[in-house]
């Protein structure tokens, strides 16, 4: 649900929900790969989890290891 925390190695993201079918999170990150091009960002941003990891050709969503809810 929106507001849930998503965890991946070395990172915590806040799930914001879906827009036009794409899952979005709030996350501080270095960069991402899209269509083979590396984009360096070094900011806190809202972005879709279907973007590709900088170090792999897999979406961020596949790197999520667990999720948790802070408040019920």
């Amino acid at each position: 649900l929106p507001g849930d925390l998503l965890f991946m190695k070395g990172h915590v993201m806040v799930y914001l929900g879906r827009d036009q079918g794409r899952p979005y999170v709030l996350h501080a990150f270095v960069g991402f790969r899209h269509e083979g091009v590396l984009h360096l960002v070094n900011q806190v941003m809202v972005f879709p989890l279907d973007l590709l990891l900088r170090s792999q050709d897999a979406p961020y969503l596949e790197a999520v290891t667990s999720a948790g809810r802070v408040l019920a």
Side-chain angles (χ1 to χ4, degrees), residues 8 33 48-53 56-64:
M8 58 187 281
R33 187 176 305 280
L49 282 175
D50 56 1
L51 292 178
L52 299 181
L53 285 162
Q56 305 168 27
D57 281 331
Y60 272 84
L61 185 58
E62 289 183 17
V64 172

Side-chain angles (χ1 to χ4, degrees), residues 3-15 25-27 47 49 53 59-71:
D4 286 352
L5 301 179
L6 302 177
F7 301 90
M8 58 187 281
K9 185 178 179 183
H11 299 281
V12 178
M13 300 171 280
V14 178
Y15 179 66
V25 294
L26 178 66
H27 177 49
F47 74 96
L49 282 175
L53 285 162
Y60 272 84
L61 185 58
E62 289 183 17
V64 172
T65 57
S66 61
R69 186 155 298 136
V70 177
L71 299 173

